[in-house]
C-alpha cells in the first residue's frame, strides 16, 4: 500500500502545497482507523475537489461509496442507500457526499432552506452514517460546514477531527467562520482516548491531530 509523504511534491495537485502535511495526517489517520469513527473534513475552496475521495480511498485501501444530493432529494441517507451496492455499505467503506454545496444556490429563491434541511436530516440520520468498522467522510465547503455547525451539532459531535484543506487556486485569506460559530463548533470535537495497547504509529497520528 502506498505510504503518504510529508513532502509538498506528493500533495494532490488540486491542493495547495501548504496542505501537504494535513493531507499526510488525514491519510495516516484513515489508514489506521479500524473502530467506528466519523471524520468531517472541511474545505475552504468554493468548489469541492472531486479527486480527493478516490485518492483517499486508494491510499487507505477502502471501498468508496460516492453520493450526490440535490434539491429534489435533500435527505442524504436516501441518496446514500441508493448509491450503495445492494443498499448496503461495504465494510470499512468511505462515504463521500457531494453536491450539498449546491443546495443553497440552486433553490428558486436563492435561499439556504434546502441546505439547512439537508443538515437537519443528516443530524437525524447520524447513526446510520457510521457502518460497523467504517469511516464516513463528509467533504464540506465553508457554506456546508456553516450549515452543519448551525443545524447538525449532534452529527458533528461524533467527529474525531476537523481538518482544513486548501485548494491550489484558493487565494482567499479572510476567516470563513464567524468567531461565535467557530467557538460553538470546535467545542464539540473530542478525540477519543486510546486503549493502553494502541500501537505507536496510531498514537503519533492522534497526537498530530491534537496539535490541529
Amino acid at each position: 500500500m502506498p505510504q503518504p509523504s510529508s513532502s509538498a511534491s506528493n500533495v494532490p495537485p488540486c491542493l495547495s502545497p501548504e496542505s501537504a502535511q494535513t493531507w499526510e495526517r488525514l491519510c495516516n489517520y484513515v489508514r489506521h482507523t479500524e473502530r467506528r469513527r466519523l471524520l468531517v473534513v472541511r474545505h475552504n475552496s468554493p468548489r469541492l475537489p472531486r479527486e480527493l475521495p478516490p485518492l483517499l480511498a486508494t491510499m487507505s485501501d477502502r471501498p468508496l461509496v460516492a453520493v450526490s444530493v440535490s434539491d429534489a432529494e435533500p435527505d442524504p441517507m436516501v441518496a446514500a442507500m441508493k448509491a450503495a451496492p445492494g443498499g448496503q455499505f461495504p465494510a470499512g467503506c468511505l462515504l463521500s457526499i457531494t453536491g450539498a454545496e449546491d443546495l443553497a444556490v440552486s433553490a428558486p429563491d436563492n435561499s439556504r432552506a434546502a441546505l439547512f434541511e439537508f443538515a437537519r436530516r443528516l443530524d437525524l440520520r447520524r447513526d446510520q452514517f457510521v457502518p460497523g468498522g467504517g469511516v464516513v467522510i463528509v467533504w464540506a465547503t465553508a457554506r456546508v460546514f456553516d450549515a452543519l455547525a448551525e443545524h447538525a451539532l449532534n452529527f458533528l459531535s461524533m467527529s474525531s477531527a476537523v481538518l482544513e484543506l486548501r485548494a491550489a487556486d484558493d487565494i482567499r485569506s479572510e476567516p470563513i467562520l464567524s468567531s461565535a460559530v467557530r467557538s460553538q463548533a470546535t467545542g464539540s470535537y473530542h478525540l477519543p482516548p486510546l486503549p493502553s495497547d494502541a500501537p505507536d504509529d496510531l498514537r503519533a497520528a492522534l497526537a498530530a491531530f491534537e496539535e490541529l
Side-chain angles (χ1 to χ4, degrees):
M1 185 184 307
Q3 300 293 320
S5 169
S6 59
S7 64
S9 61
N10 288 335
V11 69
C14 56
L15 295 178
S16 65
E18 291 76 14
S19 294
Q21 187 177 30
T22 303
W23 175 250
E24 177 187 1
R25 290 173 176 174
L26 173 60
C27 293
N28 191 41
Y29 179 84
V30 174
R31 190 167 54 249
H32 289 92
T33 298
E34 297 179 354
R35 293 175 296 173
R36 294 177 61 162
R37 291 288 184 271
L38 175 70
L39 179 64
V40 176
V41 181
R42 172 175 161 237
H43 196 284
N44 274 352
S45 174
R47 303 298 301 173
L48 294 177
R50 309 298 188 192
E51 306 93 329
L52 292 184
L55 279 174
L56 188 60
T58 299
M59 299 194 83
S60 61
D61 195 25
R62 295 177 185 269
L64 174 68
V65 177
V67 179
S68 295
V69 296
S70 67
D71 288 334
E73 191 176 79
D75 191 331
M77 193 61 194
V78 172
M81 296 312 294
K82 287 184 178 179
Q88 298 291 328
F89 290 109
C93 72
L94 297 179
L95 174 62
S96 171
I97 303 177
T98 63
E101 75 277 8
D102 297 320
L103 293 180
V105 297
S106 59
D109 57 354
N110 202 29
S111 71
R112 300 177 61 167
L115 182 57
F116 291 160
E117 178 65 11
F118 165 82
R120 187 184 71 83
R121 294 193 186 189
L122 187 63
D123 207 39
L124 294 174
R125 299 273 199 154
R126 61 188 181 276
D127 294 337
Q128 294 175 276
F129 273 92
V130 189
V135 179
V136 176
I137 298 181
V138 177
W139 303 94
T141 59
R143 183 188 294 121
V144 175
F145 189 88
D146 282 344
L148 293 176
E150 185 172 351
H151 295 274
L153 277 178
N154 289 328
F155 177 77
L156 289 182
S157 68
M158 300 167 60
S159 306
S160 295
V162 174
L163 295 181
E164 181 177 315
L165 299 172
R166 289 192 172 273
D169 58 353
D170 189 356
I171 59 175
R172 296 179 302 164
S173 60
E174 69 272 15
I176 298 298
L177 292 178
S178 67
S179 58
V181 174
R182 186 185 300 273
S183 175
Q184 181 185 27
T186 56
S188 301
Y189 307 137
H190 303 284
L191 289 174
L194 288 174
S196 58
D197 59 347
D200 292 339
D201 54 357
L202 181 55
R203 290 186 179 279
L206 290 183
F209 270 82
E210 288 175 344
E211 293 176 4
L212 295 177

